Amino acid sequence: MSRKRVAVLISGRGSNMAALIEAAKDKNYPAEIVLVLANRPEAGGLATASAAGIATEVVDHTLYGKDRASFERALQAALVKHGIEIVCLAGFMRLLTANFVGQWPERLVNIHPALLPAFKGLDTHQRALEASAKVHGATVHFVVAEMDAGPIIAQGAVAVRPGETETSLAARVLAVEHHVYPLALKLVAEGRVRVIDGRCLIDGVPVPDAAELVPAK
């Protein structure tokens, strides 16, 4: 089996990156994390990746000012140099343009701490609590030009507990993220995911809607 060459893009500590690295230690896992790329030189996840023997690079967005095209060309050059086949965003806090996204059709993956299409954008846990949501969770999806709107590959849910705080909910959702992201990458790397009419099918079966998920307690 040929393992897919994966880059993980981070901006901070990269806890989801670490979960992907851990999963890929299994030689039977269909993807290999070969590059961790950060847009911030101080990103804590760079040290984690280096300690795991993974190549790291920094493309500091601040050096490009408002020139997003040049920043993205530098990103693309690094990915091409390392022969990357799949790109995973893991807390990468830069919006990517349609031009960049278009170079990675169904090969650019992101994780979002909410059950999309609910709570796109930031502060998802706080907003879920303010909305009195009964169920919350995480979503792995293909990236498209519109933010948090790509076809959903996998989701995991938790039941929102009485008296839940933003901190406690975030911690429980993070545990879900660390489970569902490696699973989703595995499916993509194995070629089991197809997008038909804007919806992902896994082995020909549509990904279930969030309303059908059975949340963990």
Side-chain angles (χ1 to χ4, degrees):
M1 178 187 69
S2 176
R3 304 175 79 196
K4 296 294 185 182
R5 294 176 62 82
V6 176
V8 184
L9 274 55
I10 64 171
S11 294
R13 64 191 172 113
S15 71
N16 274 302
M17 170 209 72
L20 294 176
I21 290 173
E22 186 63 30
K25 288 180 180 178
D26 183 346
K27 296 303 181 183
N28 292 318
Y29 191 76
E32 179 183 10
I33 313 301
V34 300
L35 174 67
V36 170
L37 193 159
N39 68 304
R40 298 178 183 275
E42 70 276 13
L46 292 169
T48 303
S50 293
I54 296 168
T56 63
E57 292 209 21
V58 175
V59 179
D60 187 347
H61 70 278
T62 65
L63 301 180
Y64 297 87
K66 295 182 179 180
D67 189 353
R68 294 174 69 187
S70 292
F71 169 67
E72 291 184 346
R73 280 196 295 270
L75 286 181
Q76 181 71 7
L79 297 172
V80 170
K81 180 176 73 174
H82 288 270
I84 299 304
E85 298 171 277
I86 300 171
V87 179
C88 291
L89 308 181
F92 186 68
M93 303 304 289
R94 303 298 297 174
L95 291 176
L96 297 167
T97 67
N99 180 64
F100 181 88
V101 171
Q103 296 177 82
W104 296 91
E106 297 175 29
R107 296 188 297 147
L108 181 58
V109 183
N110 183 48
I111 188 158
H112 182 73
L115 292 174
L116 293 173
F119 308 118
K120 297 179 180 181
L122 302 174
D123 303 318
T124 58
H125 310 308
Q126 175 186 337
R127 289 160 58 206
L129 291 173
E130 290 173 349
S132 299
K134 301 299 183 185
V135 178
H136 191 43
T139 301
V140 184
H141 63 96
F142 285 123
V143 178
V144 296
E146 182 183 348
M147 183 181 69
D148 299 333
I152 292 168
I153 303 166
Q155 294 181 304
V158 298
V160 181
R161 296 168 175 168
E164 191 94 71
T165 66
E166 183 180 351
T167 299
S168 67
L169 184 56
R172 295 173 60 228
V173 170
L174 189 60
V176 171
E177 293 177 44
H178 293 170
H179 171 73
V180 75
Y181 210 172
L183 171 62
L185 176 57
K186 179 178 185 291
L187 293 171
V188 173
E190 288 175 339
R192 296 167 60 190
V193 184
R194 291 287 180 270
V195 178
I196 305 295
D197 296 329
R199 184 169 185 176
C200 285
L201 280 67
I202 311 297
D203 298 332
V205 179
V207 173
D209 293 325
E212 301 176 34
L213 296 174
V214 178
K217 299 298 183 181

